[in-house]
Amino acid sequence: MSKSTVTLPSGKEMPLVGFGLWKVPKETAAYTVYNAIKSGYRLFDGAYDYQNEKEAGEGIRRAIADGLVTREEIFITTKLWNNYHRRGHVLEMARRQNESWGLGYIDLFLMHFPCALKYIDPAIRQYPAWWMDDAGTVQTDKVPIRETWEAMEEVVDNGIARSIGVSNFQAQSIYDILTYARHPLSSLQIEHHPYLVQSELVKVAQENRIAVTAYSSFGPQSFVELPAQFSAKAKDIQLLFDTECVRVIAKKYNVTPAQVLLRWATQRNVAVIPKSNNQARLAENLDILGFDMTSEEIGSISALDKGLRFNDPGYYLPNHQIRIFA
Ligand code: NAP
């Protein structure tokens, strides 16, 4: 069995396989997280945007109270949403989110996107995601990444987060942060699956010892279930589970196509955070470190690359495209 954690530049260990909380309903999140811990999950990937941090924290606290795990064995990741990039707002949001989880500290705090939106008071906001009102307004703000990063470092100084990192960043802004970071850039979380391999970006991170985490490892599967503006790119594409090469490899190792997709990442030291609202699939997704594919097989999966990105605000925001991946 291969190593099940990666060492972050902060010195902390992060599990290589975790559980993603996007689209886990608030109503069932505590129960789902509790059962995920029972199945062996130790990392939970949340965000302000997912609106279930409090419930996820409840599930973890219940598992700790029942003696299933200790706080130290659990690793929680959460993310700073785009409306809170200004220096004072970063600390305020980190405190607020830390309180929601109710676990004393955040293991990893990520800047969710490399773009700032105008502030909305979290106490009165109605829409968790990009939209700021009923009309679907999205207003950017002029906040340099450096200001936000330095405020995130203060979140570490204040003992609220143990490690910090970024998500949805490209090489240029990573190189830039590395020139002034006082606390290490520990992790980069990106959309990463065989239709969007981004091998150069993964290299940039790994050459700089930044741990890469893949999100949406199953590619189109997570997006077909969304409203039209988000699913448009996904709905006519063959599911990765159904591609010939993934199916053949799955058969050879007697595993499922989902397990092949997750192993394709972890075998290259890229962490994964699959989400499932189904107990059997959730257990299946954790059981992926027990087989090793050949480098030819890994290469044949990577050859499915189409540069196809599903999570792109430059595409799905109709009134205000934010072309961060241009
Ligand atoms: P994902 O984990 O790639 O896919 C989830 C979809 O696959 C759901 O439809 C799920 O359905 C299905 N599924 C799960 N396990 C399966 C299996 N073994 N076989 C077949 N289908 C399976 O997608 P994701 O939720 O987009 O990404 C994972 C996590 O990454 C998120 O939850 C979130 O924590 C994080 N994320 C981060 C960002 C970011 O901007 N940083 C963006 C997107 C996601 P069921 O639930 O019915 O099983």
Side-chain angles (χ1 to χ4, degrees):
M1 182 79 76
S2 54
K3 195 168 177 276
S4 62
T5 60
V6 276
T7 307
L8 302 178
S10 60
K12 306 291 179 199
E13 292 291 312
M14 180 179 85
L16 202 51
V17 186
F19 184 84
L21 287 163
W22 182 36
K23 290 187 268 157
V24 174
K26 217 188 240 297
E27 298 69 33
T28 52
Y31 173 81
T32 301
V33 165
Y34 183 90
N35 281 328
I37 292 174
K38 255 190 173 168
S39 300
Y41 280 92
R42 296 295 177 263
L43 184 157
F44 292 90
D45 182 80
Y48 174 79
D49 181 37
Y50 308 159
Q51 294 287 289
N52 54 15
E53 292 176 298
K54 185 168 165 287
E55 294 74 15
E58 272 165 30
I60 296 172
R61 286 204 306 281
R62 202 178 302 159
I64 294 172
D66 289 356
L68 299 183
V69 279
T70 61
R71 170 64 186 93
E72 289 65 39
E73 288 168 332
I74 290 287
F75 189 104
I76 57 163
T77 301
T78 193
K79 311 182 192 93
L80 176 75
W81 189 241
N82 312 326
N83 303 87
Y84 307 106
H85 275 212
R86 281 201 183 277
R87 188 174 292 277
H89 298 151
V90 176
L91 201 55
E92 175 198 331
M93 278 315 275
R95 286 214 172 95
R96 186 180 264 268
Q97 291 180 246
N98 193 33
E99 267 170 37
S100 292
W101 284 91
L103 294 165
Y105 60 89
I106 294 163
D107 290 279
L108 176 63
F109 193 47
L110 302 176
M111 204 184 311
H112 207 144
F113 280 91
C115 60
L117 302 182
K118 288 241 157 68
Y119 178 77
I120 311 175
D121 181 349
I124 56 160
R125 80 177 290 169
Q126 294 180 35
Y127 304 91
W130 297 85
W131 304 275
M132 298 168 74
D133 56 26
D134 283 332
T137 305
V138 177
Q139 277 184 298
T140 51
D141 199 0
K142 293 181 179 173
V143 187
I145 294 291
R146 182 169 186 161
E147 176 175 332
T148 310
W149 178 262
E150 289 178 348
M152 289 174 65
E153 292 181 323
E154 287 168 24
V155 172
V156 177
D157 294 337
N158 278 277
I160 299 169
R162 302 220 157 150
S163 306
I164 47 176
V166 296
S167 179
N168 297 303
F169 273 55
Q170 301 286 96
Q172 295 93 330
S173 32
I174 292 171
Y175 281 132
D176 191 53
I177 292 177
L178 291 174
T179 65
Y180 53 78
R182 186 166 58 79
H183 286 302
L185 201 179
S186 280
S187 176
L188 168 70
Q189 188 177 121
I190 50 169
E191 182 178 339
H192 177 70
H193 45 71
Y195 287 155
L196 185 69
V197 179
Q198 306 189 82
S199 51
E200 291 293 297
L201 179 56
V202 172
K203 267 190 219 155
V204 167
Q206 293 185 337
E207 283 162 1
N208 287 283
R209 296 184 49 245
I210 299 167
V212 180
T213 298
Y215 74 71
S216 303
S217 294
F218 303 142
Q221 176 63 42
S222 178
F223 297 87
V224 283
E225 60 200 25
L226 295 174
Q229 77 204 74
F230 302 99
S231 60
K233 280 195 194 178
K235 67 179 178 21
D236 296 326
I237 290 285
Q238 185 180 32
L239 287 182
L240 283 164
F241 303 133
D242 298 335
T243 55
E244 175 74 9
C245 100
V246 170
R247 295 193 74 81
V248 167
I249 295 170
K251 192 154 187 247
K252 173 178 165 188
Y253 291 98
N254 197 23
V255 295
T256 65
Q259 289 171 315
V260 167
L261 293 170
L262 297 171
R263 189 67 184 129
W264 169 79
T266 56
Q267 215 174 310
R268 290 174 295 113
N269 224 23
V270 171
V272 291
I273 42 171
K275 163 265 172 188
S276 180
N277 284 324
N278 170 283
Q279 183 59 33
R281 288 194 286 276
L282 168 160
E284 172 188 323
N285 295 343
L286 185 63
D287 182 22
I288 56 158
L289 300 179
F291 67 105
D292 283 330
M293 295 178 272
T294 65
S295 53
E296 288 74 25
E297 287 163 344
I298 298 263
S300 70
I301 299 171
S302 301
L304 293 170
D305 195 11
K306 298 176 190 296
L308 184 54
R309 185 184 299 282
F310 299 107
N311 188 12
D312 183 356
Y315 174 81
Y316 57 58
L317 294 179
N319 301 329
H320 196 133
Q321 279 106 354
I322 299 176
R323 302 187 194 282
I324 50 174
F325 298 113

